[in-house]
Amino acid sequence: MKRPEVVRTVLVDGRLYLRNADETLTPLRDETDYARLDALSPAENESIADNDIEGAPMSDEEWARVEIRQPVKKPVGLKLDDDVLSWFKSQGRGYQTHINAVLRRYVEARRKAG
């Protein structure tokens, strides 16, 4: 049984992204049925995982080659319109992370557009 090639992914603010050959990031969609998994016993869960060709467990050698990188955060002084900043702050904790996520989506859309 041949395993699929290891995919390069990046974790950004708790979300997984695929790193493309041109260094752009594409968000990965989570298709996990968490309700179904929660209803399984640990033994059933392990059995499914062991028999999943696409998600076969990684060997120690494969884990040794795994590269987990998080983008470097740089502090900047940024002037935003008062109403825009107020709206993000009104959404609760993590407003700076949300602003970064919005900017990242914009950058990715522009990169795709060329």
Side-chain angles (χ1 to χ4, degrees):
M1 155 173 75
K2 184 179 178 198
R3 291 187 185 178
E5 187 176 319
V6 175
V7 175
R8 298 189 132 217
T9 58
V10 178
L11 187 64
V12 179
D13 299 325
R15 292 199 57 207
L16 277 178
Y17 291 81
L18 171 67
R19 181 178 301 283
N20 302 308
D22 63 357
E23 293 297 311
T24 60
L25 300 177
T26 303
L28 293 175
R29 202 171 77 226
D30 185 352
E31 297 178 0
T32 304
D33 184 351
Y34 291 102
R36 180 175 166 259
L37 288 177
D38 288 343
L40 296 175
S41 71
E44 290 171 316
N45 195 346
E46 288 297 320
S47 174
I48 290 170
D50 289 342
N51 294 307
D52 183 358
I53 294 171
E54 291 183 10
M58 290 174 57
S59 68
D60 290 340
E61 293 79 24
E62 289 171 317
W63 275 113
R65 293 192 315 266
V66 168
E67 179 183 342
I68 299 174
R69 293 190 296 170
Q70 290 189 351
V72 175
K73 303 284 186 181
K74 294 190 177 191
V76 296
L78 181 66
K79 295 185 182 214
L80 302 172
D81 293 340
D82 184 52
D83 61 327
V84 171
L85 182 59
S86 294
W87 185 87
F88 274 99
K89 283 185 171 183
S90 74
Q91 303 305 300
R93 290 180 47 128
Y95 73 92
Q96 291 173 323
T97 300
H98 295 304
I99 292 171
N100 189 70
V102 169
L103 292 172
R104 175 169 295 286
R105 295 302 279 287
Y106 177 81
V107 168
E108 293 303 323
R110 298 293 294 196
R111 282 183 179 157
K112 285 181 183 177

